[in-house]
Amino acid sequence: MSRTEQNGAGRRRPPTIHDVAREAGVSRGTVSRVLNGGHNVSPAALEAVQSAIRRTGYTVNRHARSLITGRSDSVAFLLTEPQERFFEDPNFNVLLRGCTAALAAHDIPLLLMIAGTEAERRRNMRYIAGHVDGVLLVSSHSGDPVAAQLHEAGVPLVACGKPLGQGSRVSYVAADDRNGARDMVRFLHGSGRRRIATVTGPLDTPGGVDRLAGYRETVTECGLPVDEALIVPGDYSRAGGEAAAALLLERAPDVDAVFVASDLMAQGVLSALERAGRRVPQDVAVGGFDDSPAALSARPELTTVRQPWDRISAEMVRVLLAQIGGEDPAAVILPTELVRRDSA
């Protein structure tokens, strides 16, 4: 079939959903399901429809579909952090790129929204209702009302990380923070380290809580005492890591390893150790978490725990589109991987 057909006036008309269905050899309903997320469509039918769309050059009339379905065909990426954190922390950019790519496969645009202040949160909440079909929520803190407000408003929602205090009401996709931390502490202990400290993430975030829990469990499992002087809170920023390491060296100058709850903070820890004349890894081993670009730009390059960012973003989009399509909330926890480099 040609990409377009002529109407009565001799002008070429754009291909329609009927043309796609005829080209793919499926029903119009099957094409419609593919265009609305691909739910309840067999892999063979999905491939046939996608191939037919490419051959015919069909594009969705978003305005018309919105009038019919009541949907906007757009999704919000809502970051509940100050704007400067978006530019500082490479994890947010990696996650945003992955979610954008996953939604592009469904021809759905992604809107970046930042709600680091109460005023920004109110503005974004007003816009979200009626303007987007669902929200990918990133960096939710304990006590942050955004997840509960979205849930109460009936807006489909998937959080990156397990929302604290939300129970089973909110879908989420998370890396296995606790076991990732356990793997790192076991590795540091196995390399002969006995004064293993940690710089935690914010303890009002699920990642901060679970990584600290994994550290505590594994220190005990290794037969070492849990020394509170070796546990210093951090905030996922490089400056926070540097300040935490300075405090740690003051408290426990005999420390010989540090598990840092993010690669960006680990860069700050490395700077503080260098200033104090401590060699890495000879005097103090350093392990990070994320396997973000910060791990490779660190000197020495960081041994770290890899979060599967591509899978996290793809699963967030999959779960959100399923929820938009009427499915119940879901929880997905993905395994991490220890990556050995030069810092430990």
Side-chain angles (χ1 to χ4, degrees), residues 283-308:
D283 300 327
V284 182
V286 177
F289 202 106
D290 292 329
D291 198 27
S292 70
L296 291 174
S297 62
R299 291 295 176 267
E301 291 186 355
L302 278 173
T303 291
T304 188
V305 176
R306 175 176 294 157
Q307 295 202 64

Side-chain angles (χ1 to χ4, degrees), residues 24 27 42 60 63 100 158 162 165 168 172 219 221 269 287 312 320 335:
S27 69
S42 71
V60 177
H63 178 66
T100 300
V158 177
K162 182 170 49 181
S168 61
Y172 68 87
V219 166
E221 173 190 293
V269 169
I312 290 171
L320 182 63

Side-chain angles (χ1 to χ4, degrees), residues 168-223:
S168 61
R169 298 185 304 165
V170 173
S171 292
Y172 68 87
V173 177
D176 192 343
D177 293 298
R178 185 176 298 223
N179 278 323
R182 290 172 63 89
D183 287 343
M184 179 59 77
V185 176
R186 285 194 197 102
F187 172 75
L188 294 171
H189 182 264
S191 67
R193 312 293 173 155
R194 294 298 179 265
R195 291 284 283 166
I196 304 172
T198 187
V199 177
T200 77
L203 296 180
D204 63 346
T205 63
V209 169
D210 283 348
R211 292 170 204 179
L212 176 58
Y215 164 84
R216 288 182 178 275
E217 292 165 0
T218 313
V219 166
T220 300
E221 173 190 293
C222 292

Side-chain angles (χ1 to χ4, degrees), residues 191 263 275 295:
S191 67
D263 293 340
R275 239 188 355 264

Side-chain angles (χ1 to χ4, degrees), residues 103-305:
L103 284 165
H106 300 278
D107 199 28
I108 297 174
L110 184 64
L111 283 68
L112 171 62
M113 308 179 80
I114 297 178
T117 67
E118 174 66 18
E120 289 173 342
R121 181 183 62 78
R122 287 198 302 268
R123 285 195 298 271
N124 285 326
M125 292 299 294
R126 286 198 301 267
Y127 181 85
I128 284 169
H131 288 88
V132 300
D133 294 330
V135 172
L136 301 167
L137 179 63
V138 181
S139 193
S140 179
H141 293 256
S142 176
D144 188 336
V146 169
Q149 289 174 348
L150 291 170
H151 176 76
E152 290 166 6
V155 178
L157 161 70
V158 177
C160 181
K162 182 170 49 181
L164 295 172
Q166 295 297 322
S168 61
R169 298 185 304 165
V170 173
S171 292
Y172 68 87
V173 177
D176 192 343
D177 293 298
R178 185 176 298 223
N179 278 323
R182 290 172 63 89
D183 287 343
M184 179 59 77
V185 176
R186 285 194 197 102
F187 172 75
L188 294 171
H189 182 264
S191 67
R193 312 293 173 155
R194 294 298 179 265
R195 291 284 283 166
I196 304 172
T198 187
V199 177
T200 77
L203 296 180
D204 63 346
T205 63
V209 169
D210 283 348
R211 292 170 204 179
L212 176 58
Y215 164 84
R216 288 182 178 275
E217 292 165 0
T218 313
V219 166
T220 300
E221 173 190 293
C222 292
L224 303 175
V226 177
D227 185 346
E228 296 300 323
L230 297 177
I231 300 173
V232 183
D235 61 1
Y236 287 151
S237 74
R238 176 173 179 145
E242 193 165 353
L247 177 59
L248 177 61
L249 289 171
E250 181 181 323
R251 286 182 181 178
D254 59 341
V255 64
D256 62 6
V258 188
F259 163 50
V260 191
S262 82
D263 293 340
L264 195 61
M265 283 199 302
Q267 284 191 338
V269 169
L270 291 173
S271 294
L273 290 171
E274 182 180 18
R275 239 188 355 264
R278 304 297 179 90
R279 299 170 301 164
V280 177
Q282 295 91 334
D283 300 327
V284 182
V286 177
F289 202 106
D290 292 329
D291 198 27
S292 70
L296 291 174
S297 62
R299 291 295 176 267
E301 291 186 355
L302 278 173
T303 291
T304 188
V305 176

Side-chain angles (χ1 to χ4, degrees), residues 77-79 86 89-103 110 112 136-139 158-161 173-174 292-293 307-317 334:
F77 183 99
L78 179 59
L79 176 64
F86 175 74
D89 194 327
N91 293 327
F92 297 142
N93 288 279
V94 171
L95 189 62
L96 176 63
R97 286 197 301 270
C99 290
T100 300
L103 284 165
L110 184 64
L112 171 62
L136 301 167
L137 179 63
V138 181
S139 193
V158 177
C160 181
V173 177
S292 70
Q307 295 202 64
W309 291 113
D310 288 346
R311 290 188 62 195
I312 290 171
S313 54
E315 283 296 294
M316 286 180 68
V317 167
L334 299 171

